[in-house]
Amino acid sequence: MIRAYKFLMRPTMGQQAVLGEMLRDHCSLYNGALQERRDAYQHASKTSVTYGQQSGQLTDIRAFDPARQGRWSFSSQQATLRRLDKAFAAFFRRIKAGDKPGYPRFRGVTWFDTVEFPKDGDGCRWDSTPQDPVTRVRFQGVGHVKVNQHRAVIGKVKTVSVKREGRKWFIVLTAEQPRPEPLPATGSAVGIDLGIASFLTDSNGVHVANPRHARKAAATLEVAQQALSRFPRRKAKDRTRNHRRAVDKVAQLYGKVRRQRLDHAHKTALSLVREHDFIAHEDLKIRNMIKAPAAKPDPGQPGSFLPNGAASKAGLNRSIADAGWGVFLAILNAKAESAGREVLAVDPRNTSRTCPECGHTAKENRPTQEKFHCRSCGHRAHADVVGAINVLRAGLVRRHANQA
């Protein structure tokens, strides 16, 4: 299996400048390749440019610009071109599926924050000074950079990536390692219902509180964003020192919220994986859940619109994004795979409207967000617990069908 590791790097001031130049040049390569594809398609011939054609031009590009493009690893530049090719592949896939296309966009220097090296030893070398107690990674054109390695890397390193987050630099490794020994069986199965009032409710009636990290930081973020809004929009190189400080402050606050959300998701997922052999959850289409409501034109007044609940829906969308369901489910599946546990997604329709006692399904069974009262048999319970029980039952049925 493949596992990722992320470590903080400690580059010198000179190395930070060179790493910034590396990102800038890879960004320039990405944008140039995108422009070539746009120009070719806008031509009367409707020519399409492939990754293979653009990769074949790298030798000439490096020879023409040895001071910039010629400094960096050839394989890392190929990875940047593959990144653009994947963006176009996703664009055409969305068109075919009837989704919003989202044509690949040009990247600004501050947006392009990652460079990938597809193979350890080709343009980069992890643990480049093994005889030294300090871990270092070597990059072509940069040199040996100190790494704060806080845990051991198990397995063979496959890929190495450099990532910039604000003013910090990180290295992301992927390592191929044997599948770990599964955790001892507990004989327990559980269904979980994700929500807003409670982050998670399981079929045993346990509620995990929603930390609402973004809401707690909203006041501080508002002050920082107001301070940033006082500065006119400028390119990064033209910003004053105070402007840069305001940008960094907003980035630091958002980074803290993101890390808090990840920490909560990791701890919650780990608790579930340790306690249960089988975990069922709703197959939520989160992207569809946070779509803005469609406009409602007023037939009596052309050019006017009727209320469509956009303001209240925006508040709900912020709460869903703050909960981070997608991040949590991705972490849960990864931890379950490593621990030898089984995770199954089930259809979420009517899970909180179906009585677990008699099976009666009706919208009226859920009079409020928290209360469940069956109109057929009179069963009363917390609506989220009812949803979790029905999710577990549906998951066990699907599990049995898959094994049959």
Side-chain angles (χ1 to χ4, degrees):
M1 63 180 296
I2 302 296
R3 171 161 292 184
Y5 297 86
K6 184 177 180 180
F7 301 119
L8 176 68
M9 294 198 300
R10 304 285 189 181
T12 63
M13 293 298 294
Q15 289 173 337
Q16 289 185 42
V18 178
L19 287 170
E21 293 172 3
M22 181 172 67
L23 289 181
R24 180 201 64 194
D25 293 340
H26 277 76
C27 178
S28 175
L29 178 65
Y30 182 96
N31 290 337
L34 173 56
Q35 185 65 54
E36 182 184 24
R37 291 197 180 212
R38 286 166 58 99
D39 293 343
Y41 185 76
Q42 290 173 357
H43 191 266
S45 61
K46 298 292 183 182
T47 305
S48 61
V49 178
T50 65
Y51 160 76
Q53 293 172 326
Q54 293 188 318
S55 178
Q57 301 171 12
L58 274 177
T59 302
D60 295 335
I61 293 173
R62 292 166 61 86
F64 177 77
D65 189 10
R68 293 183 58 188
Q69 298 297 338
R71 299 171 62 186
W72 316 116
S73 164
F74 191 93
S75 60
S76 68
Q77 293 172 325
Q78 287 181 316
T80 297
L81 295 179
R82 282 195 202 94
R83 178 174 169 181
L84 175 64
D85 191 60
K86 290 179 181 177
F88 271 97
F91 166 70
F92 291 119
R93 183 179 65 249
R94 289 190 294 270
I95 290 179
K96 189 175 181 180
D99 298 333
K100 187 176 179 181
Y103 191 83
R105 297 183 293 174
F106 293 101
R107 297 294 177 181
V109 177
T110 55
W111 285 14
F112 198 95
D113 55 9
T114 304
V115 172
E116 180 184 349
F117 296 82
K119 183 181 179 182
D120 182 30
D122 188 359
C124 67
R125 170 62 68 187
W126 167 248
D127 197 11
S128 56
T129 56
Q131 72 282 355
D132 197 314
V134 178
T135 304
R136 289 182 173 86
V137 59
R138 183 185 182 279
F139 298 110
Q140 179 178 327
V142 180
H144 299 272
V145 183
K146 291 184 178 180
V147 178
N148 184 18
Q149 185 182 358
H150 59 271
R151 60 172 174 160
V153 176
I154 302 174
K156 181 180 179 181
V157 175
K158 304 293 288 185
T159 66
V160 180
S161 298
V162 178
K163 184 175 180 62
R164 179 180 59 194
E165 294 183 6
R167 291 192 173 186
K168 295 182 179 180
W169 293 87
F170 294 88
I171 180 171
V172 181
L173 312 173
T174 60
E176 185 177 14
Q177 54 189 231
R179 187 175 296 276
E181 290 294 326
L183 294 177
T186 63
S188 174
V190 72
I192 59 175
D193 180 89
L194 298 175
I196 300 298
S198 295
F199 174 75
L200 178 151
T201 302
D202 67 21
S203 52
N204 298 322
V206 177
H207 298 270
V208 177
N210 186 357
R212 303 179 189 272
H213 296 298
R215 178 177 294 185
K216 292 178 181 178
T220 308
L221 274 168
E222 183 179 3
V223 172
Q225 288 173 326
Q226 286 177 347
L228 176 60
S229 68
R230 298 188 183 101
F231 296 95
R233 294 180 64 89
R234 293 283 188 273
K235 292 184 178 181
K237 62 183 181 64
D238 297 328
R239 293 170 183 166
T240 64
R241 180 175 299 178
N242 288 337
H243 190 176
R244 290 196 297 268
R245 286 175 179 169
V247 172
D248 291 341
K249 181 64 176 179
V250 173
Q252 289 172 6
L253 290 173
Y254 275 111
K256 181 178 179 180
V257 171
R258 183 178 65 252
R259 291 190 298 272
Q260 288 175 327
R261 190 178 292 127
L262 280 172
D263 181 69
H264 179 261
H266 275 284
K267 290 177 179 177
T268 306
L270 182 59
S271 177
L272 287 170
V273 167
R274 284 176 173 173
E275 296 175 6
H276 308 287
D277 295 337
F278 175 77
I279 305 168
H281 67 85
E282 297 170 300
D283 187 11
L284 300 175
K285 306 300 181 185
I286 301 173
R287 180 173 295 180
N288 295 336
M289 295 174 67
I290 60 176
K291 284 184 177 179
K296 297 172 64 176
D298 188 349
Q301 297 182 1
S304 300
F305 296 88
L306 297 173
N308 63 348
S312 58
K313 185 63 169 66
L316 176 61
N317 291 348
R318 283 194 295 270
S319 297
I320 293 174
D322 190 15
W325 296 340
V327 171
F328 167 73
L329 291 176
I331 292 173
L332 176 63
N333 279 277
K335 289 186 180 298
E337 182 184 5
S338 298
R341 305 304 201 201
E342 186 177 0
V343 176
L344 199 60
V346 302
D347 190 343
R349 287 178 294 182
N350 294 322
T351 52
S352 59
R353 298 177 177 179
T354 302
C355 178
E357 296 295 327
C358 67
H360 176 66
T361 302
K363 180 180 180 180
E364 294 74 17
N365 285 353
R366 189 174 184 177
T368 66
Q369 183 68 23
E370 294 185 359
K371 295 180 180 179
F372 180 90
H373 181 198
C374 180
R375 299 305 180 186
S376 177
C377 69
H379 176 68
R380 295 174 181 268
H382 194 289
D384 291 342
V385 176
V386 169
I389 292 174
N390 289 325
V391 166
L392 173 60
R393 290 178 178 177
L396 292 174
V397 170
R398 185 176 175 185
R399 179 193 194 190
H400 180 71
N402 292 341
Q403 293 174 349

